[in-house]
Amino acid sequence: MIVRDRPSGIRLFFAMRGSILGQIKWTLAANVALAVLVTLSHGRLFDYKLMVSALPFSLIGLPLAIFLGFRNNACYDRYWEARKLWGDLLLRGRNLARQVLTLIDAPATADGRPATDKLQIPVDDERRRMVRRMAAFAHALKHQLRGTTDDAGDVARWIDADEATAVASAANQPNALMLRMGRDLQACRAQGRVDSMLTSNIDATLSGLTAAAAACERIKSSPLPFPYTLLLHRTAHLYCFLLPFGLVDSMGALTPVVVAIVAYTFFGLDAVGDEIEEPFGLRPNDLPLDAICRTLEIDMLQSLGDKDVPPPLQPVDCCLM
């Protein structure tokens, strides 16, 4: 994701990095080249003069702009909902660490007495496993939404080897990790380390995490209807490529300039909708899931008192030239 400082007007006008222009430049260039040819030929095709008035473009242009704006609003709603869901996941992850470490008692010592030092958490303690598993859950959800594989071991390094093998073979890895969260919570309840009321509170946090993951899956698996997107895409291209024939008689030599401005607007709106419709990808303006997961990693490690904490990841800072 690209994060920008608010530039001055002239710098914003000439900004290229992070712009949608890179995605539409060839289509835009072809449209402008056609406008130049139409201007040089004065709208004639061999010996035939193509008589096209500006009226049809006036009638079509306004509805096209409205529907492109409506589609972009729908796409941005998906993008913003996805960001809120990952913000909620971050919040619930922090709550889970706090609840697990403060509401669940430490395991009994070797002589059968309750442990009093909650800062010293054994490696095999369910509390440590649950806190570390929260980081694994975020990475597993990230890979599931992106359709990528965990080649870097983002999930496996937070859980033990046997659990990592079992989770890797699951069809839904985030759900498999949540099931193991529930089993560890059940084990703590059976050992008498947490009472029923507090167990219910922790379980509500786990349910909230599962709900956030399911909502992200809904966004991923339910894009905007393809016929609607296809109709707007075709209409925008037909409009812009036919526009020079309707403007050449009235605009003359300025036809390519006007066509370039109109085409940049319509092609750009169409491309922006395509980019933000899928917020979980790897394009520059998609959600910074890696940075969010790293933030959660840091919070989980610090809650356990670990000193070896990785540095935070910053979203790409786009320098506007």
Side-chain angles (χ1 to χ4, degrees), residues 103-105 185 188-196 198-199 202:
L103 301 182
I104 299 178
D105 293 332
L185 182 59
C188 292
R189 175 71 184 91
Q191 296 168 15
R193 296 167 56 188
V194 58
D195 62 39
S196 299
L198 298 180
T199 300
I202 299 174

Side-chain angles (χ1 to χ4, degrees), residues 98-106 118 125-127 130 184-185 188 193-194 198 202:
R98 173 179 52 80
Q99 290 173 331
V100 166
L101 297 175
T102 60
L103 301 182
I104 299 178
D105 293 332
K118 291 196 172 186
D125 191 343
E126 288 86 351
R127 297 174 300 162
M130 292 176 72
D184 278 350
L185 182 59
C188 292
R193 296 167 56 188
V194 58
L198 298 180
I202 299 174

Side-chain angles (χ1 to χ4, degrees), residues 23-55:
Q23 299 184 30
I24 65 172
K25 59 183 178 181
W26 298 118
T27 305
L28 182 61
N31 198 178
V32 174
L34 176 62
V36 171
L37 292 176
V38 171
T39 302
L40 294 176
S41 65
H42 301 287
R44 301 185 67 89
L45 183 62
F46 301 107
D47 294 330
Y48 180 72
K49 171 66 174 177
L50 298 176
M51 300 296 295
V52 182
S53 69
L55 180 59

